[in-house]
């Protein structure tokens, strides 16, 4: 069977295929949603990573759904990355994934079914590693391959992380390097092979299981969290600052980045999301004298990116040291301040 490069079968890949944040907010503003039940602790209001539904005083459900088109060429790696990306929403809320259901659009006329097997196997491996169970799903015959998961997890109602809990004085930690958008743009254009961006592929494949790495008192010191995906660091940091009614000060010199990320940005390996992410935050962001390339790094659409954590300063170094054992690129990247004229300050 002829080898098919999955990235060549779609126009956009990974989280770069998201509807632009500006357009999404406009769409949602025109929709009349059903009344919110009191049990729904977190819904659509703050652009958080998942919904939280309180079952009782000891248990809440964490629910999310995430899917996209191929971001890499190898089907098994694509399946694993898509699964890790969806599971990340549960981890970003402080939850533990329990069940997953697959959303799978597959072009039966153009791709051999062995590709579907490999995509599902890659996803299955990631789900098994998380401790969750794959319990079913839904498939359609479509023109382009799309895959993802609907995931349900558990969390204690009083131990939920959200993007609305950051406090002035908190330290900002980021658990993974930036640059998956430009790395995979270079891959799609045939400038590199998967082996040449293996660092990025391994990062996207890694589960964001931060909670199991930390002691209870360390978990309690995390006041807010969000995972960095298609809206880039700037877009998701803006959502966190807006929801928490604070301003974030980010040291760009401290931002972890993949080895060739700046090289590829300079070569112009960009996506449409680089532009739309810039438009989303420009009125709310001060970049000081930041170079255009570093600005592009903050706009870079991440797929299965790291968690951005707002942490009690007294516990920040201890938490960072513990996280770096599993996430070697984890860095302290800034701080939270009271609300100012702008929500984001990069320097």
């Amino acid at each position: 069977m002829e080898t098919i490069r999955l990235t060549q079968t779609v126009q956009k890949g990974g989280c770069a295929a998201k509807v632009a944040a500006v357009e999404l907010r406009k769409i949602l503003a025109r929709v009349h949603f059903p009344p919110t039940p009191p049990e729904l602790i977190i819904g659509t209001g703050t652009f958080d990573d998942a919904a939280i539904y309180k079952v009782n005083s000891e248990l809440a459900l964490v629910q999310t759904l995430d899917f996209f088109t191929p971001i890499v060429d190898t089907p098994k790696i694509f399946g694993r990355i898509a699964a890790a990306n969806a599971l990340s929403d549960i981890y970003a809320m402080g939850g533990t994934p329990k069940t997953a259901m697959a959303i799978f659009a597959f072009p039966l006329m153009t791709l051999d079914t062995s590709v579907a097997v490999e995509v599902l196997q890659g996803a299955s491996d990631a789900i098994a590693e998380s401790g969750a169970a794959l319990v079913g799903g839904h498939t359609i015959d479509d023109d382009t391959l799309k895959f993802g998961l609907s995931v349900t997890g558990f969390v204690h109602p009083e131990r939920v992380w959200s993007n609305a809990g950051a406090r002035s004085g908190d330290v900002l930690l980021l658990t993974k390097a930036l640059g998956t958008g430009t790395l995979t743009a270079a891959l799609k254009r045939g400038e590199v092979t998967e082996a040449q961006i293996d660092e990025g592929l391994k990062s996207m494949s890694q589960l964001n299981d931060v909670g199991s790495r930390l002691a209870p008192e360390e978990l309690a010191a995390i006041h807010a969290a969000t995972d960095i995906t298609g809206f880039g660091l700037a877009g998701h940091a803006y959502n966190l600052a807006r929801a928490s009614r604070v301003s974030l000060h980010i040291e760009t010199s401290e931002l972890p980045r993949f080895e060739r990320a700046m090289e590829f940005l300079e070569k112009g390996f960009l996506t449409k999301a680089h532009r739309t992410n810039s438009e989303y935050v420009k009125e709310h962001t001060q970049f000081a004298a930041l170079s255009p390339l570093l600005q592009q790094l903050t706009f870079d659409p991440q797929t299965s990116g790291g968690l951005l954590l707002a942490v009690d300063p007294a516990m920040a170094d201890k938490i960072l040291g513990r996280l770096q054992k599993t996430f070697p690129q984890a860095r302290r990247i800034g701080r939270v301040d009271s609300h100012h004229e702008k929500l984001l300050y990069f320097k």
Side-chain angles (χ1 to χ4, degrees):
M1 184 183 66
E2 181 184 358
T3 300
I4 295 177
R5 292 186 58 203
L6 293 184
T7 56
Q8 302 308 298
T9 66
V10 295
Q11 289 186 332
K12 305 180 186 72
C15 287
K18 275 187 173 181
V19 173
V22 172
E23 294 304 317
L24 182 56
R25 282 194 180 271
K26 289 178 181 177
I27 292 168
L28 295 177
R30 297 168 58 191
V31 178
H32 298 286
F33 292 102
T36 300
E39 296 85 1
L40 187 63
I41 300 173
I42 296 176
T44 60
T46 58
F47 263 37
D48 220 323
D49 297 298
I52 304 290
Y53 188 93
K54 184 177 180 180
V55 177
N56 55 45
S57 61
E58 299 292 324
L59 177 67
L61 298 181
V62 191
Q63 293 185 292
T64 188
L65 186 156
D66 213 316
F67 70 101
F68 46 61
T69 50
I71 191 171
V72 293
D73 291 321
T74 302
K76 191 172 183 179
I77 299 175
F78 168 55
R80 181 176 178 92
I81 290 172
N85 184 75
L87 290 161
S88 181
D89 288 343
I90 304 296
Y91 295 129
M93 307 301 292
T96 301
K98 293 298 181 181
T99 63
M101 303 190 78
I103 302 101
F104 203 177
F106 192 80
L108 287 167
M109 294 296 293
T110 57
L111 292 180
D112 190 89
T113 54
S114 62
V115 173
V117 172
E118 288 295 294
V119 170
L120 287 170
Q121 188 60 62
S124 224
D125 292 346
I127 295 166
E129 184 180 328
S130 77
L134 182 60
V135 296
H138 187 71
T139 60
I140 62 169
D141 184 2
D142 197 8
D143 292 338
T144 57
L145 173 59
K146 305 172 189 74
F147 181 78
L149 300 175
S150 172
V151 189
T152 298
F154 292 168
V155 69
H156 192 288
E158 295 179 2
R159 297 174 195 150
V160 173
W161 297 343
S162 80
N163 65 2
R167 307 173 189 176
S168 179
D170 281 350
V171 170
L172 295 173
L173 304 181
L174 180 63
T175 64
K176 289 185 181 181
L178 300 171
T180 64
T182 190
L183 263 61
T184 53
L187 176 68
K188 182 172 174 57
R189 297 188 193 185
E191 297 290 330
V192 292
T193 64
E194 287 182 338
Q196 290 172 315
I197 58 168
D198 184 60
E199 179 189 22
L201 270 58
K202 286 180 178 177
S203 179
M204 289 188 286
S205 298
Q206 183 180 14
L207 301 184
N208 273 324
D209 185 9
V210 166
S212 68
R213 318 290 174 185
L214 302 176
E217 66 272 16
E218 294 165 344
L219 292 171
I222 297 174
H223 298 149
T226 190
D227 68 340
I228 308 303
T229 55
F231 301 150
L233 173 65
H236 290 285
Y238 163 69
N239 286 340
L240 186 147
R242 177 174 174 170
S244 297
R245 299 181 181 179
V246 295
S247 292
L248 307 185
H249 294 256
I250 296 175
E251 300 282 347
T252 50
S253 62
E254 299 300 319
L255 294 180
R257 63 206 71 174
F258 296 111
E259 184 178 351
R260 302 187 69 181
M262 301 309 291
E263 171 196 343
F264 291 157
L265 288 171
E266 188 170 15
K267 288 181 176 179
F269 297 148
L270 305 175
T271 69
K272 180 181 178 182
H274 284 87
R275 175 181 59 78
T276 58
N277 290 344
S278 170
E279 292 172 350
Y280 181 47
V281 303
K282 63 183 179 182
E283 294 181 7
H284 311 280
T285 305
Q286 183 181 103
F287 281 107
L290 213 62
S291 71
L293 281 184
L294 278 174
Q295 291 185 41
Q296 291 288 15
L297 182 67
T298 73
F299 303 143
D300 194 80
Q302 303 306 286
T303 296
S304 193
L307 298 189
L308 178 64
L309 307 172
V311 179
D312 186 321
M315 296 290 287
D317 289 340
K318 185 177 181 181
I319 290 172
L320 179 60
R322 195 180 294 272
L323 289 179
Q324 285 177 331
K325 295 176 183 178
T326 307
F327 301 91
Q329 291 274 35
R331 296 291 184 273
R332 180 176 181 149
I333 67 165
R335 62 183 172 85
V336 180
D337 201 356
S338 56
H339 185 271
H340 294 299
E341 179 184 355
K342 301 292 185 180
L343 293 180
L344 299 180
Y345 293 86
F346 289 91
K347 63 177 182 177

